[in-house]
Amino acid sequence: MTTRQDALAGLVADARCVLFGFDGPICRAVDPAWPTPYADPLIRTWTAVGAHLGVVTDNSAEAARRYLEGRGLSACFGPRVYGRLDRAMAGTGATPGHTLMIGATVAELVAAREAGVAFVGYARDPDRERVLREAGAEQVIDSLKPIIDILRGLT
C-alpha cells in the first residue's frame, strides 16, 4: 500500500459518520440523474458496518431524496439530506474527528476544512482532480471502489 492508500484507509477506518456530496460522489445531478459507479454498493456497505450517513447538497433536497428513493437507498440515509455541512453535522450527531466528507467541489472541501472534518475529493476527470488538489485536497480519488475495498478489509 502506498502512503496515500494508507492515509485513505485511516480516514475510512476512523469514520463513524460519512457525509456525501450529492452531485459527484452519489450521482451526476443532471436530468435524469446518473449514478456514480460504485456509489450504491459503497453506501450499502457503509450502512451495513454501522456508519451514520448523510447527504449534503446545494441542489434541491427533495430531488436528492427522490433520487435516493428511486435507487433503493433512502433507508441508508433516512431523513439526513441537508443543504449545508453544519446542518448535516448537527442532524447526524457527528463529531469532527469521526466524520468523513466525500465531496466533488472546492466549496465542499472548504466547508469540511472549516468544520474540522476529514475530506476525500471525488474527481471524475483530471481537471477536477487538479482543481481539488490546488485548493488543498490531500486525498482525491477517481473511483469509489478503493473505499469499498478498504471497508471490506475492515470487516
Side-chain angles (χ1 to χ4, degrees), residues 11-18 46 50-53 94-95 97-100:
L11 293 175
V12 170
D14 289 345
R16 302 295 170 262
C17 178
V18 182
W46 237 320
H52 297 276
L53 305 182
T95 58
H98 293 288
T99 300
L100 176 61

Side-chain angles (χ1 to χ4, degrees), residues 41-120:
L42 175 61
I43 289 164
R44 287 186 178 98
T45 301
W46 237 320
T47 299
V49 299
H52 297 276
L53 305 182
V55 174
V56 179
T57 181
D58 58 359
N59 295 311
S60 160
E62 185 56 35
R65 285 185 190 94
R66 281 194 310 270
Y67 174 84
L68 295 171
E69 184 176 323
R71 300 290 302 167
L73 298 170
S74 55
C76 298
F77 293 94
R80 297 178 301 273
V81 178
Y82 304 93
R84 295 182 25 186
L85 182 61
D86 59 341
R87 291 184 184 149
M89 297 280 295
T92 58
T95 58
H98 293 288
T99 300
L100 176 61
M101 171 78 191
I102 301 174
T105 68
V106 171
E108 291 167 336
L109 167 64
V110 170
R113 186 181 297 142
E114 288 175 355
V117 170
F119 181 85
V120 172

Side-chain angles (χ1 to χ4, degrees), residues 2-8 11 100-101 103 109-110 112-113 117-122 129-141:
T2 67
T3 304
R4 279 197 181 158
Q5 289 171 320
D6 288 337
L8 180 61
L11 293 175
L100 176 61
M101 171 78 191
L109 167 64
V110 170
R113 186 181 297 142
V117 170
F119 181 85
V120 172
Y122 175 77
E129 178 178 0
R130 179 186 48 76
V131 167
L132 287 169
R133 290 204 185 278
E134 286 177 357
E138 295 177 21
Q139 290 291 325
V140 181
I141 55 176

